[in-house]
């Protein structure tokens, strides 16, 4: 058995973070859709004055993993707010994460 397999069996997971992925991708807009077998999250960067924005990243999850992600986000947001205070979302519609009015391509 290889060393990596032994560590995984002991509860340690090793992940490689390639340099191009480590830079991250800024997103201020997400669209979530689903089928009976998958959840699809498209992340985009919406900027004022840009009439046509592009999806920068797509993540496809099994329903079980989507629910785990939801729980992990809730846990991390609670810990963040305990340390730094409440996250305020001014005048935002309930089901969007974009800070901009979508469809207004004015500079």
């Amino acid at each position: 058995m290889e060393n990596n397999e032994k560590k995984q069996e002991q509860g340690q997971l090793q992940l490689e973070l390639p340099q191009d992925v480590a830079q991250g991708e800024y997103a201020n807009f997400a669209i979530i859709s689903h089928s009976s077998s998958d959840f699809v999250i498209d992340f985009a960067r919406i900027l004022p004055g840009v009439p046509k924005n592009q999806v920068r990243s797509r993540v496809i999850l099994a329903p079980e993993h989507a629910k785990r992600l939801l729980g992990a986000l809730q846990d991390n947001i609670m810990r963040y707010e305990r340390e730094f205070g409440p996250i305020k979302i001014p005048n935002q519609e309930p089901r969007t994460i974009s800070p901009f009015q979508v469809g207004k391509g004015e500079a």
Side-chain angles (χ1 to χ4, degrees):
M1 187 178 300
E2 291 184 17
N3 195 23
N4 285 345
E5 292 175 7
K6 287 180 185 177
K7 287 186 177 183
Q8 284 182 358
E9 283 185 3
Q10 296 170 357
Q12 296 176 354
L13 178 64
Q14 291 188 340
L15 296 174
E16 181 180 339
L17 184 58
Q19 189 68 21
D20 60 328
V21 175
Q23 296 300 313
E25 190 67 57
Y26 178 76
N28 58 8
F29 185 79
I31 297 172
I32 302 171
S33 56
H34 66 276
S35 68
S36 61
S37 58
D38 296 304
F39 277 76
V40 178
I41 309 172
D42 288 326
F43 294 96
R45 184 182 314 141
I46 308 295
L47 300 173
V50 178
K52 188 174 183 180
N53 298 278
Q54 292 183 334
V55 170
R56 307 296 293 191
S57 180
R58 172 173 275 188
V59 177
I60 303 169
L61 303 162
E64 297 84 3
H65 292 239
K67 195 161 189 175
R68 287 184 184 111
L69 175 62
L70 174 63
L73 281 170
Q74 287 175 328
D75 181 56
N76 276 272
I77 288 171
M78 287 186 333
R79 288 190 282 150
Y80 176 95
E81 290 183 325
R82 269 196 306 267
E83 186 172 346
F84 300 108
I87 299 170
K88 296 176 183 163
I89 305 175
N91 303 326
Q92 190 163 2
E93 294 180 28
R95 296 189 188 266
T96 180
I97 67 164
S98 173
F100 301 107
Q101 294 294 326
V102 178
K104 300 215 180 209
E106 301 171 6

